[in-house]
Amino acid sequence: MNKAKRAAVIAGNWKMNKSRAEAKALVEELRPLVENAGCGVVVCTPYLDIETAVKAAEGSNIKVGAQNCHWADHGAFTGEIPAEMLREAGAEYVIIGHSERRQYFGETDETVNKRTRAALDAGLRVILCCGELLGERQQNIMEEVVGRQIKVALLGVSKEEMKNIIIAYEPVWAIGTGVTATADQAEEACAFIRGLIAKLYGKETAEATTVQYGGSMNAKNAGELLSKEDVDGGLIGGASLKAPDFAAIVAAAGK
Ligand code: PEP
């Protein structure tokens, strides 16, 4: 496996934070700090911030994403947003299957698969989240859980479409808790995921697929996590809300 063969991507997940004015200010502050980034830089904003963030990022290397999308292209789905509307607003990426969606909004592996398909069909790049609960890690079934999540999420996704898929390994016990997986735990899981992609799509696709780690990654621990062979970037929650912190992680990924 060769890390140089794939793009490192640092993506911020702003979750339900930042007004439009704050979104504009954050992207404007970020622009000069990441202009020489040696990796992809993405900010996934609340829906209503997307157009503001796209405008503020115009002419820069910052890409904008959403945090979810529905699987239908239109219809009676009150409160939902189709992938095509995200595209229309200027989003290029979308996070699918985040553990907070699974935990609080009844997201299942099956709906993650449907949303992934819809996002790909609309021309979005998908940041596909997977990860085990604390109890599942303690029972030593991380591979079983993550393996099932990925296999179901990727049903009907072709080898060709895999170039638009980023996989984010996010152990649920590490998200927003301040508890980070050790670099070895992150590497073990990301390497397992790459091995699974190799089984599903072949070695070449596996080597080209970006596999991120997410879970309390910050300016201090990013360097060690990102130095691992199979960790190709990060999905960053809390630390993406302040430009200097996020930029420090971007800098660590570019090394
Ligand atoms: C996330 O929301 O995907 C995440 C990793 O959050 P945090 O960095 O705050 O743990």
Side-chain angles (χ1 to χ4, degrees):
M1 300 290 179
N2 185 349
K3 199 165 181 164
K5 285 191 182 164
R6 49 194 179 258
V9 176
I10 299 294
N13 174 14
W14 292 4
K15 311 194 186 196
M16 199 172 72
N17 294 292
K18 303 292 176 189
S19 66
R20 270 182 276 189
E22 289 167 340
K24 180 173 182 286
L26 179 50
V27 173
E28 283 173 353
E29 191 184 350
L30 200 54
R31 282 181 71 128
L33 301 180
V34 301
E35 66 185 352
N36 297 316
C39 64
V41 181
V42 182
V43 293
C44 296
T45 77
Y47 294 132
L48 287 175
D49 286 345
I50 291 173
E51 284 187 318
T52 304
V54 167
K55 204 157 168 240
E58 220 165 53
S60 79
N61 55 333
I62 301 171
K63 309 285 186 203
V64 177
Q67 299 168 17
N68 189 24
C69 71
H70 196 259
W71 53 83
D73 55 8
H74 68 278
F77 299 102
T78 303
E80 291 286 334
I81 304 276
E84 191 54 50
M85 279 190 202
L86 299 177
R87 212 38 227 154
E88 204 181 11
E92 293 179 59
Y93 287 76
V94 61
I95 297 171
I96 302 282
H98 192 277
S99 63
E100 286 154 16
R101 300 287 324 162
R102 296 178 193 256
Q103 188 178 350
Y104 305 128
F105 302 102
E107 198 78 73
T108 64
D109 293 339
E110 287 69 28
T111 56
V112 168
N113 173 243
K114 288 161 85 171
R115 293 181 204 272
T116 299
R117 262 270 38 101
L120 291 172
D121 289 342
L124 294 169
R125 298 198 72 197
V126 174
I127 300 175
L128 181 60
C129 299
C130 59
E132 81 286 2
L133 302 168
L134 180 60
E136 292 166 337
R137 174 155 285 265
Q138 286 165 340
Q139 285 175 64
N140 225 5
I141 55 170
M142 177 275 287
E143 293 189 358
E144 206 175 311
V145 172
V146 169
R148 189 200 63 236
Q149 288 173 340
I150 293 178
K151 278 192 231 163
V152 178
L154 293 177
L155 282 173
V157 173
S158 70
K159 189 178 162 93
E160 176 62 18
E161 287 172 322
M162 281 302 290
K163 64 178 185 302
N164 288 322
I165 298 274
I166 290 174
I167 296 182
Y169 168 64
E170 298 209 302
V172 181
W173 46 272
I175 296 180
T177 58
V179 178
T180 314
T182 64
D184 285 343
Q185 286 172 323
E187 169 60 17
E188 185 194 21
C190 292
F192 164 73
I193 290 167
R194 198 176 309 287
L196 180 59
I197 301 299
K199 277 188 202 140
L200 297 172
Y201 294 100
K203 193 163 175 258
E204 206 182 318
T205 301
E207 286 188 348
T209 300
T210 298
V211 183
Q212 299 173 320
Y213 166 78
S216 300
M217 193 189 277
N218 58 40
K220 283 206 185 99
N221 59 31
E224 196 190 347
L225 288 159
L226 295 167
S227 71
K228 291 293 181 181
E229 175 64 24
D230 289 287
V231 180
D232 308 317
L235 183 54
I236 321 297
S240 71
L241 298 175
K242 288 193 180 137
D245 294 356
F246 189 61
I249 300 173
V250 169
K255 280 189 187 146

